[in-house]
Amino acid sequence: QLTKNPLYKTTIEETIAFIDRELSNGEGGFYAALDADSEGIEGKYYVWDKAEIETLLKTDAALFCEYYGVTEGGNWEEKNILTRKDRKLSPEEEEGLKKSREILLKHRAGRIPPALDDKILLGWNALMNLACSKAYAALGDEHYRERAIRNMKFLQTRLKGEGIYFYYHSYKGAARYPAFLDDYACLVAALIGLQEITGETAYLDQAHDVTKEVIAHFGDPETGFFFYTHDQQQDVILRKKEVYDGATPSGNSTMAFNLLYLSVVFNEPEWAQRALNMTSQLARPVTGYPGSFGGWATLFQAFTYTISEVVITGVRPERARKEFLEHLIPYRVFQSTDQENTQFPLLTGKSVGSNTLIFLCKNYSCQLPVNEIATVIRDLENVYKFQP
């Protein structure tokens, strides 16, 4: 696992700490962006002179400059952007670098900061919500789980509308503009992620309702793809469909993933077929230009390999759930529950008792349950090992 490497673990922790510190509105939402410029100079708030670092860190400066590549001439317009080396550190070095970063961070807080774009976008917040869920899955830090739950409450309080628009695109004192396809698609993905880390099936019900809304008001019945705008939005000349995955995944590839996942959860085979049809239509561009179709390429692999179904039951499934989520298992559907449930096909007929049970299934047909996550992981590895 990459997160076993202290470098990657630290990167996750510091990235989310940055967002908590610089881009959080205090109510659970995340602001859109920070400017690159401050005082009219690009990057001034973030870059460093070697002499400045040596003055602040004194005897600890040598290790810091070596590890972060700080030089007299700099690496960007005679200044230094800190770039971390992937090398093993001793515990003493790790602690020393941590203290040095805290000193520099405190000093940087005295600079004039870049301007803040303080609007809150539904799609970007949903992506950050999903990132918090993934961070919790990887590291088990309860703060990330709570962050995701709180953010979803904010979105459902401040950005949820009524009638034809259901959700709004942005919030700045008030919700504005009808949500676009990307907003809805990312919201559904975030709800799926929250269900995985909490076991709360209500998130799946919400994901199902939003998906039906998207199909009804964004779907193109001829191609199976989705338009970018709602069918009741009147201020557009032409309704476009976007399929390219750029800096963020396209709404169409994200919705195709959502359809595939939820088709298993709710036994909606037509949703899986729609996702397959969408993906199949892009076979040539995806294989020719995979860098522009990352989300679709992942879906191609999902349809090529087995999509395993994993269920954990027990009156206290938290430990096993957390242990399972630490493992990066591609192309799987995951549910956990602490009570018997007949609403969802994967949970129906699964007993819930004092002992934790883990079921590995395919097409709702399950192997005998086991008690150890390690056993399921080995079985999953064998499944993928022998795929064509």
Side-chain angles (χ1 to χ4, degrees), residues 53-64 100:
I53 291 174
E54 289 174 336
T55 299
L56 291 166
L57 301 184
K58 300 180 174 58
T59 57
D60 294 325
L63 172 62
F64 188 92
S100 294

Side-chain angles (χ1 to χ4, degrees), residues 106 241 253 300-301 325:
K106 183 178 180 180
K241 293 190 289 284
S253 67
F300 262 99
Q301 292 179 313
L325 289 172

